[in-house]
Amino acid sequence: MSKEAEKAYLAAIGQDGRQHSLFKPFSDNDCGKYLASIGFIMSLLPPPPARILDFGCGGGWTSIFLALRGYQVTGQDIAPDMIDLALENRTRNGLTSDRVDFICGDFESLEGVGQFDGAIFFDCLHHADDETLAIRTAYAALKPGGLLITHEPGEGHATNPLSIAAMEQFGVNERDMPPRLIVKRGMEAGFVGYRVLPAPERLFNSFYEKRNHRALSASRYRLIRNVIRMLVKPNMAGSAIVVLEK
């Protein structure tokens, strides 16, 4: 059911939802965090004009940003109308198919071997029916030494009220996708190394969010504890950016 729901998602969210997808990230309340995330990912990828495969691209904003940076990008999505929206987005941004192209297909079974320097799952792997197949598809698509970068929600996402509402209303998957699971599946697929890095949201919550300035406040204690944890070892349960090397 979830794959058919993904294909029907754009129609289900209506015209307002379509406009939101077309103008994302600027149409989203979390725009600043999205911009920080794509900026971090660009800094982790091989430099332009590397070839990048953008899985589950939706309306194409991540693909567009990467192409404007100078990458050669292929965006993929399972929904034909999302691909149409991404093509509209490409035209709106003055880009051509030699800079960014879009293909319709299932990222759990997409064909392609050794073509890309980098691949991205940006907030889409947690919608997969089978993350093992999706990560194996990414592994096959990468050149030796290529990088797979994921930006996914961690434990607790599936039980978040917004996730439950989305599953009930639209029939889509909203799964926990913690780093420990991504790394496990990546090592099983054949990746040889990994890094787990704090998601920009966690950095914002730790360093930028306004809080009580009393020296011994509970919030200050939690901040210090979280910063120490980030410095000592990666959080394998929470939202994170994961980098896997082929």
Side-chain angles (χ1 to χ4, degrees):
M1 172 60 185
S2 64
K3 290 185 188 296
E4 294 306 312
E6 292 288 345
K7 293 177 184 178
Y9 180 75
L10 187 60
I13 61 177
Q15 184 60 29
D16 288 345
R18 185 184 187 280
Q19 289 297 106
H20 178 270
S21 295
L22 182 63
F23 291 98
K24 198 172 178 180
F26 303 105
S27 57
D28 199 282
N29 290 335
D30 286 329
C31 174
K33 295 174 186 177
Y34 280 127
L35 291 172
S37 294
I38 196 65
F40 280 16
I41 288 171
M42 285 182 187
S43 72
L44 295 167
L45 285 169
R51 290 197 66 195
I52 307 299
L53 178 56
D54 187 12
F55 287 107
C57 67
W61 79 266
T62 47
S63 299
I64 298 297
F65 271 54
L66 291 166
L68 290 171
R69 175 67 180 91
Y71 289 102
Q72 294 179 288
V73 186
T74 296
Q76 168 277 333
D77 201 87
I78 196 172
D81 55 0
M82 277 294 190
I83 294 297
D84 291 340
L85 192 68
L87 291 170
E88 180 180 342
N89 206 346
R90 181 179 71 185
T91 300
R92 190 170 63 86
N93 282 277
L95 294 166
T96 55
S97 60
D98 62 327
R99 295 284 300 279
V100 53
D101 65 328
F102 293 100
I103 57 174
C104 188
D106 185 345
F107 61 42
E108 294 175 22
S109 58
L110 196 67
E111 295 183 359
V113 178
Q115 300 178 29
F116 295 93
D117 302 292
I120 298 171
F121 287 105
F122 192 105
D123 288 351
C124 62
L125 187 59
H126 66 280
H127 294 307
D129 287 342
D130 188 333
E131 78 285 344
T132 298
L133 292 177
I135 290 174
R136 288 184 182 276
T137 296
Y139 179 86
L142 289 170
K143 300 174 183 177
L147 299 180
L148 171 62
I149 300 179
T150 70
H151 176 281
E152 296 292 330
E155 293 178 357
H157 177 75
T159 55
N160 182 291
L162 293 176
S163 299
I164 293 171
M167 289 186 282
E168 291 176 348
Q169 184 174 358
F170 302 114
V172 296
N173 276 340
E174 294 288 352
R175 303 173 54 204
D176 290 356
M177 196 55 60
R180 65 165 60 93
L181 179 59
I182 295 170
V183 170
K184 182 175 188 293
R185 299 300 186 227
M187 295 299 104
E188 291 169 351
F191 286 97
V192 297
Y194 71 89
R195 297 171 65 195
V196 176
L197 306 168
E201 180 179 356
R202 291 192 63 219
L203 296 177
F204 179 86
N205 293 341
S206 295
F207 296 105
Y208 293 91
E209 193 171 48
K210 188 176 181 180
R211 63 185 69 249
N212 189 326
H213 291 290
R214 287 187 296 119
L216 299 179
S217 67
S219 62
R220 179 61 61 89
Y221 170 76
R222 286 194 297 271
L223 169 62
I224 295 171
R225 182 186 61 189
N226 290 338
V227 170
I228 292 173
R229 285 177 176 174
M230 279 191 278
L231 292 172
V232 172
K233 65 178 182 179
N235 184 337
M236 300 299 284
S239 300
I241 292 175
V242 178
V243 183
L244 293 160
E245 182 180 357
K246 182 171 180 177

